Amino acid sequence: NITFDLLHRHNVEEVLDAILLQASNLLESPFGLLGILEDDNLATKSTTEMANPLAGGNIPLKNAHLAMLAIRTRQPQVIQRYQEWSERMEIHNAFKLWAVVSVPIIIKNKVIGIIALGRVDPEKPYTNENLAVMNSFAQLAALALNNAQLLNSAQNELTEKMYTEVELRRVNDLLLIQLEENKNLQIELREQALHDPLTGLYNRRYLREAIELEVKKAQQDQSPLSVIVSDIDHFKSINDSYGHQVGDRFLVEIANLMKSHARSTDF
C-alpha cells in the first residue's frame, strides 16, 4: 500500500509530505522532519505536526551531528537517549525527545537528504527491526522522489520544447526504466518482509503463507511432512554474560548451521 501510494504521486512536494507521513506512521514517531541538502544546510521540506515549529527552516549541517553521521556512513543512525546526548541540537530541547533516528535518502548513489524521526517515550527505543524497516523504506522513498523529480523535470522540458517527439520518447524511456526499478524494488521488499533481517531465515509471516500449501501438497501426494521445533537452552545467559552483540552472532551461527543441514526443498 505504501509503495502504491508513493509511486502514484507526481508532485514533488506531495511526495515529500507523503514520505514523512508514512515513515512517521511506520516507526510510530510523533516527531518527524524531512530535510533536503542545499549546500551546507538541511532545508526542511516537510514536518509532522509535532515538529511544525521547524517547518521551512534551514539547519546548518555543522550543528546537525546525527544527520552528518548518517550522511557520511550512508546508514541509519540512532541515539536511544537523545535527551542525555551532549551533541544534541539545542532547538530540539523543547520537544523532549528520547529515541531519535536519522535515515539518509540516497538517489543515484548520492545522499540528497535526511528523514529524522523521534519518540518522546524513554521506555520505547528503536529496535534493529525498526532500523531494517527504515533502511528498506528509505530506498522506496528515494525511488518515489526521484520518480517525481524526473516527471517534474520532464514536464518542464516538454513545455519548453513544445512537446517534441524526441523529448516524448526520452521521457517515455525514463518512465519505463522507473517502472522496471519499481517492479524490482517491490520484489526486494517482499523478500525482506519474509526474512528475518538478522539471520536471513524465513520468518513467521512466510510460515503462515507456506505451511497450508505444504500440508495440502503432502496430503495430495500421500507424502510425509515434518516440522522440527527447536529451542536454545539458556540463551538468556549468553546475552547477560557477553552482551547482545555476541547473542546476535550466536543466533547467526545457529541459523547457518540449520541452513547447512537442510535440503534445497526444505525451509
Side-chain angles (χ1 to χ4, degrees), residues 8-23:
H8 283 75
R9 295 177 183 270
H10 300 150
N11 180 278
V12 173
E13 291 183 359
E14 285 185 8
V15 170
L16 291 170
D17 288 339
I19 286 172
L20 184 61
L21 177 63
Q22 297 286 11

Side-chain angles (χ1 to χ4, degrees), residues 37 65-78 102-114 131 134-136 138-139 142:
L37 284 171
H65 298 290
L66 192 61
M68 277 292 293
L69 191 59
I71 292 168
R72 287 172 180 166
T73 62
R74 305 166 71 87
Q75 293 293 328
Q77 298 296 322
V78 63
S102 191
V103 185
I105 303 174
I106 303 173
I107 294 179
K108 294 181 180 178
N109 209 33
K110 180 181 178 182
V111 178
I112 61 98
I114 288 290
L131 298 183
M134 275 308 298
N135 214 19
S136 298
Q139 297 176 47

Side-chain angles (χ1 to χ4, degrees), residues 180-226:
E180 185 64 25
E181 289 180 357
N182 295 351
K183 179 181 176 182
N184 293 336
L185 180 61
Q186 289 180 19
I187 293 172
E188 181 182 343
L189 289 174
R190 172 171 169 77
E191 283 299 306
Q192 291 178 358
L194 297 180
H195 288 81
D196 169 53
L198 177 66
T199 62
L201 296 177
Y202 286 116
N203 59 22
R204 190 178 299 177
R205 179 183 298 176
Y206 179 83
L207 178 63
R208 285 200 300 266
E209 291 185 9
I211 194 68
E212 185 176 349
L213 293 175
E214 292 293 332
V215 169
K216 288 181 179 178
K217 182 181 177 182
Q219 291 173 337
Q220 190 174 40
D221 297 341
Q222 295 294 301
S223 60
L225 173 67
S226 300

Side-chain angles (χ1 to χ4, degrees), residues 146-181:
N146 189 38
N147 193 42
Q149 289 173 336
L150 281 172
L151 287 170
N152 186 61
S153 175
Q155 287 170 353
N156 291 337
E157 290 178 19
L158 290 173
T159 301
E160 292 172 2
K161 297 185 179 183
M162 304 296 292
Y163 299 96
T164 62
E165 182 179 348
V166 173
E167 286 300 308
L168 283 171
R169 188 180 300 118
R170 186 178 71 84
V171 173
N172 210 34
D173 290 341
L174 286 173
L175 290 175
L176 288 174
I177 293 171
Q178 287 295 310
L179 288 172
E180 185 64 25
E181 289 180 357

Side-chain angles (χ1 to χ4, degrees), residues 3-169:
T3 303
F4 182 84
D5 176 59
L6 291 182
L7 295 179
H8 283 75
R9 295 177 183 270
H10 300 150
N11 180 278
V12 173
E13 291 183 359
E14 285 185 8
V15 170
L16 291 170
D17 288 339
I19 286 172
L20 184 61
L21 177 63
Q22 297 286 11
S24 176
N25 290 338
L26 270 177
L27 259 65
E28 300 175 344
S29 304
F31 178 91
L33 179 150
L34 193 153
I36 298 298
L37 284 171
E38 294 182 356
D39 298 325
D40 293 327
N41 297 306
L42 269 178
T44 303
K45 299 297 184 181
S46 183
T47 61
T48 59
E49 184 177 352
M50 180 181 178
N52 268 344
L54 305 179
N58 281 325
I59 304 170
L61 276 178
K62 64 181 181 180
N63 298 335
H65 298 290
L66 192 61
M68 277 292 293
L69 191 59
I71 292 168
R72 287 172 180 166
T73 62
R74 305 166 71 87
Q75 293 293 328
Q77 298 296 322
V78 63
I79 298 294
Q80 301 290 17
R81 303 186 68 81
Y82 189 69
Q83 280 284 317
E84 301 170 357
W85 192 40
S86 61
E87 296 184 329
R88 70 182 182 278
M89 296 179 62
E90 289 186 11
I91 58 174
H92 291 161
N93 288 341
F95 301 108
K96 306 296 183 185
L97 300 175
W98 281 95
V100 172
V101 63
S102 191
V103 185
I105 303 174
I106 303 173
I107 294 179
K108 294 181 180 178
N109 209 33
K110 180 181 178 182
V111 178
I112 61 98
I114 288 290
I115 302 171
L117 300 172
R119 291 173 174 172
V120 295
D121 185 352
E123 302 300 323
K124 195 172 182 181
Y126 289 116
T127 64
N128 288 336
E129 184 179 358
N130 290 153
L131 298 183
V133 166
M134 275 308 298
N135 214 19
S136 298
F137 176 80
Q139 297 176 47
L140 173 60
L143 185 61
L145 183 56
N146 189 38
N147 193 42
Q149 289 173 336
L150 281 172
L151 287 170
N152 186 61
S153 175
Q155 287 170 353
N156 291 337
E157 290 178 19
L158 290 173
T159 301
E160 292 172 2
K161 297 185 179 183
M162 304 296 292
Y163 299 96
T164 62
E165 182 179 348
V166 173
E167 286 300 308
L168 283 171
R169 188 180 300 118

